Amino acid sequence: MNIFLIISILFILIVIYVSIYNNAIYLKNKVEQSISSVDVYLKQRFNLIPNLVECVKSYSNYERDLLENIVKLREDCLNDDKNISKNLNYNNNLNNLIARLESYPEIKASGTYIKLQQSLIKMENQIQAARRILNIDVTKYNTFIKVFPNSILLFGFKEEELFKINDEEEKNNIDIEV
Amino acid sequence: MEKFNNEYNEVYNMYNDDLEVLRKKEKARFILIFVLVLIFFSTLIISNNMYSISVILVIIVLVILNRKIIFSRSMYYILFKEKIIRRIINLVNDKLDYYPEKSITVDLYSRSLFSDNFTDFFSNDLILSKENNIVMSDLVLTRVEGSGKKRRTVTVFEGMFLKLELDFNINSNVRVLLDKCMYDIYIKEKKIDIDSSEFEEKFNIYTNNRMIAMQIFTSDVMAEIIEYMIKNELEFEVSIVNNELFIKYNTGNMFEPNVFKKNLDKELLYFYYVKLEKVLYVSDMIKKIVNNLEG
């Protein structure tokens, strides 16, 4: 009878541990999926670069270095591994390049440029939403692995970082007018 | 308020006398029916066959003699809605068409996917706007619970229901429902976590597309919705299904006169005017928020 009781208790404890472990894996996978989504949306912005080139090429008054920078940026991004902070850096460089186009009124008034701006706004919304989802998933995961008794049972699981803006440069919002 | 006051004074001068006569007739009808019902139930209490038979005969005679009053369509309600309520609605927006006797269909309501569990559906006071593609009506949903002696009817919802067409199709379902635990049983989609504790206290968001839901309900939008709801004491729920926006407002019964209160109750009419204004404002606000997704 005593052995039966001990086995039953052990069985219940194992079931509880497996359940907690599986939940942790599920939440961790969700976090990784969210990171991937943010990366995908950041990379999508670079598909706009050919449109940027079109904007600039049509006009005779353009800076050669501007066009070269745009093309180099795209190549760098496509060749680089999945890395959110690097993609963010490229993203900010892209914003800076687009902002420089503001100083060319003939480019600013073009239909191509207006469509580009609309695409950019749409993509910014998507990136913001993806970032928020990532932070919600990370918070949920971190809370789960830190509460008692999960913190004892899940000793192999490390906290994930929230999506934060680290660089001073990145914090400066670039005001792009349509 | 001034706009409403001017309209009210005009309406009062034009229709108050006629309506007062009709209201008194309607009041008499209520009382007559109430007395007849009371007499009928008394036969169930007093167990005397002769008494019961005599009473039933008297009731039948009274009903036949007063058949016009009892069974005729109340002119009071007709006049009140056609003349008074129509003007109140047009005061809010002159592009709205009002049909007091018409209703929305159960199919239209079912398309909203609000997932209420109801057995009876009643709708009237249909309001249409071709310009904004609005379909709106008063709606009451009830559910019968229990059986036998414990059987009772529960009101699931009583208020305004509105449908709008969006400028584009989100190809998803997003529902923002008041935080009541009973919904979880009826809804297929998962409840998503959101990053606003204030919003989460009041609402739950259910969707099959988390990205779209987060793009629509940004921090600013959620704050604006909560602020408006608290400031104006207007609870509502939202459902976006592909290219249609549905909103349910807990306004209570709208556009009905009160037979036992004074005629052309100014407070009551002002209540209807303000609620309708707020309902249309919120609908417009949410439509713009969703349409902004497309850029």
Side-chain angles (χ1 to χ4, degrees):
Chain A
M1 188 68 182
N2 278 342
I3 294 169
F4 179 73
L5 189 65
I6 292 166
I7 291 170
S8 302
I9 291 168
L10 270 172
F11 178 74
I12 289 166
L13 287 171
I14 290 167
V15 165
I16 291 169
Y17 175 74
V18 166
S19 169
I20 291 171
Y21 182 85
N22 287 344
N23 269 334
I25 294 291
Y26 169 74
L27 290 171
K28 191 165 165 58
N29 284 344
K30 264 188 102 172
V31 168
E32 282 172 14
Q33 193 179 36
S34 300
I35 291 171
S36 188
S37 290
V38 174
D39 190 60
V40 159
Y41 285 113
L42 282 171
K43 281 230 164 62
Q44 266 185 4
R45 286 199 68 174
F46 291 93
N47 292 337
L48 294 177
I49 290 179
N51 296 341
L52 256 178
V53 170
E54 275 309 306
C55 262
V56 174
K57 263 166 77 172
S58 307
Y59 295 90
S60 53
N61 282 348
Y62 67 89
E63 296 171 26
R64 192 181 288 275
D65 65 327
L66 178 67
L67 188 54
E68 282 171 4
N69 277 343
I70 289 168
V71 174
K72 189 177 181 305
L73 192 66
R74 187 163 185 260
E75 281 170 12
D76 283 349
C77 179
L78 292 175
N79 291 335
D80 214 328
D81 288 336
K82 183 173 87 175
N83 185 320
I84 284 189
S85 56
K86 270 195 178 170
N87 275 334
L88 264 179
N89 195 26
Y90 291 139
N91 204 40
N92 290 323
N93 284 329
L94 177 64
N95 282 340
N96 286 332
L97 289 169
I98 292 166
R100 282 171 68 182
L101 288 178
E102 295 287 309
S103 57
Y104 298 99
E106 62 274 16
I107 292 175
K108 215 170 132 178
S110 75
T112 317
Y113 183 78
I114 290 168
K115 274 188 192 164
L116 177 70
Q117 285 292 347
Q118 285 169 348
S119 301
L120 277 170
I121 290 167
K122 197 172 168 183
M123 280 187 185
E124 273 304 324
N125 288 339
Q126 287 170 335
I127 291 166
Q128 285 303 324
R131 284 179 185 179
R132 284 171 62 212
I133 289 172
L134 172 59
N135 281 345
I136 288 167
D137 288 342
V138 165
T139 305
K140 204 169 174 182
Y141 168 74
N142 288 346
T143 308
F144 186 80
I145 64 168
K146 276 160 79 174
V147 295
F148 184 83
N150 299 357
S151 52
I152 300 167
L153 297 170
L154 302 171
F155 49 84
F157 286 78
K158 288 180 186 163
E159 271 184 49
E160 292 285 341
E161 273 186 27
L162 285 167
F163 195 96
K164 281 181 202 167
I165 299 170
N166 290 322
D167 237 2
E168 272 307 313
E169 205 182 296
E170 286 175 17
K171 275 183 194 168
N172 295 329
N173 282 329
I174 289 139
D175 194 9
I176 300 170
E177 289 173 14
V178 176
Chain B
M1 185 77 187
E2 196 189 323
K3 198 170 136 186
F4 173 80
N5 282 338
N6 292 339
E7 187 72 13
Y8 176 80
N9 291 335
E10 205 178 303
V11 150
Y12 188 89
N13 293 333
M14 281 171 76
Y15 300 112
N16 184 57
D17 294 338
D18 293 335
L19 271 172
E20 184 59 23
V21 167
L22 290 171
R23 187 185 71 85
K24 283 179 178 164
K25 276 188 184 170
E26 185 65 19
K27 196 171 159 183
R29 187 166 90 121
F30 262 116
I31 293 168
L32 178 64
I33 293 172
F34 179 70
V35 165
L36 287 173
V37 167
L38 259 182
I39 295 170
F40 175 75
F41 277 109
S42 72
T43 64
L44 301 174
I45 298 165
I46 299 168
S47 50
N48 180 325
N49 283 339
M50 274 310 294
Y51 174 79
S52 303
I53 293 166
S54 332
V55 162
I56 288 169
L57 277 170
V58 165
I59 287 172
I60 291 169
V61 166
L62 279 172
V63 165
I64 292 168
L65 285 174
N66 294 292
R67 63 187 182 282
K68 275 191 180 170
I69 297 172
I70 293 169
F71 297 111
S72 66
R73 217 158 144 243
S74 168
M75 285 307 296
Y76 177 62
Y77 287 96
I78 294 169
L79 192 68
F80 182 83
K81 290 201 172 187
E82 285 292 342
K83 302 293 179 191
I84 313 300
I85 296 297
R86 188 181 291 281
R87 285 182 74 141
I88 297 291
I89 290 170
N90 285 334
L91 189 66
V92 173
N93 185 330
D94 58 7
K95 301 266 179 359
L96 297 174
D97 296 322
Y98 175 56
Y99 305 95
E101 298 297 312
K102 287 191 179 175
S103 61
I104 58 164
T105 59
V106 178
D107 287 338
L108 174 62
Y109 185 76
S110 303
R111 274 199 342 245
S112 69
L113 303 180
F114 273 121
S115 303
D116 299 291
N117 183 17
F118 61 91
T119 48
D120 295 300
F121 174 98
F122 176 74
S123 161
N124 66 350
D125 297 316
L126 182 69
I127 299 172
L128 301 174
S129 167
K130 283 178 190 162
E131 192 192 39
N132 300 320
N133 277 319
I134 292 174
V135 176
M136 188 159 59
S137 87
D138 217 10
L139 179 64
V140 179
L141 303 173
T142 55
R143 181 175 66 240
V144 174
E145 285 180 352
S147 58
K149 280 186 180 173
K150 291 186 181 174
R151 193 182 164 93
R152 61 195 183 112
T153 304
V154 170
T155 302
V156 173
F157 172 76
E158 189 174 20
M160 302 279 317
F161 174 79
L162 180 145
K163 185 211 98 169
L164 273 169
E165 269 179 38
L166 297 169
D167 294 344
F168 72 103
N169 194 332
I170 64 169
N171 291 314
S172 315
N173 308 331
V174 179
R175 271 168 282 172
V176 181
L177 306 176
L178 290 167
D179 189 12
K180 296 172 196 166
C181 56
M182 64 175 103
Y183 275 126
D184 285 355
I185 312 167
Y186 305 113
I187 297 178
K188 272 193 299 187
E189 287 86 359
K190 270 192 169 174
K191 187 182 112 174
I192 64 167
D193 296 313
I194 41 180
D195 49 359
S196 165
S197 52
E198 213 184 4
F199 194 83
E200 244 180 344
E201 265 173 43
K202 272 283 178 188
F203 295 105
N204 292 331
I205 300 183
Y206 299 86
T207 182
N208 58 359
N209 188 331
R210 213 169 154 195
M211 265 302 291
I212 290 280
M214 294 303 259
Q215 282 180 259
I216 295 169
F217 296 100
T218 61
S219 309
D220 291 340
V221 163
M222 288 194 284
E224 195 179 347
I225 288 173
I226 289 288
E227 194 193 325
Y228 191 86
M229 206 173 87
I230 293 169
K231 197 171 144 192
N232 293 284
E233 295 173 346
L234 180 65
E235 279 190 343
F236 52 87
E237 295 180 320
V238 178
S239 174
I240 308 165
V241 181
N242 299 324
N243 68 330
E244 289 180 320
L245 170 64
F246 302 93
I247 313 181
K248 258 165 61 180
Y249 299 89
N250 291 350
T251 55
N253 210 358
M254 289 277 284
F255 308 136
E256 301 297 325
N258 191 323
V259 170
F260 292 96
K261 280 195 173 173
K262 65 178 180 184
N263 201 31
L264 286 182
D265 187 347
K266 192 176 182 183
E267 254 183 59
L268 184 67
L269 291 174
Y270 186 65
F271 170 82
Y272 292 154
Y273 170 73
V274 166
K275 282 288 174 198
L276 185 60
E277 248 192 350
K278 288 176 184 175
V279 157
L280 289 172
Y281 177 83
V282 167
S283 311
D284 200 46
M285 175 176 84
I286 295 174
K287 185 182 174 181
K288 278 186 184 147
I289 288 164
V290 181
N291 282 339
N292 278 342
L293 262 189
E294 192 60 359

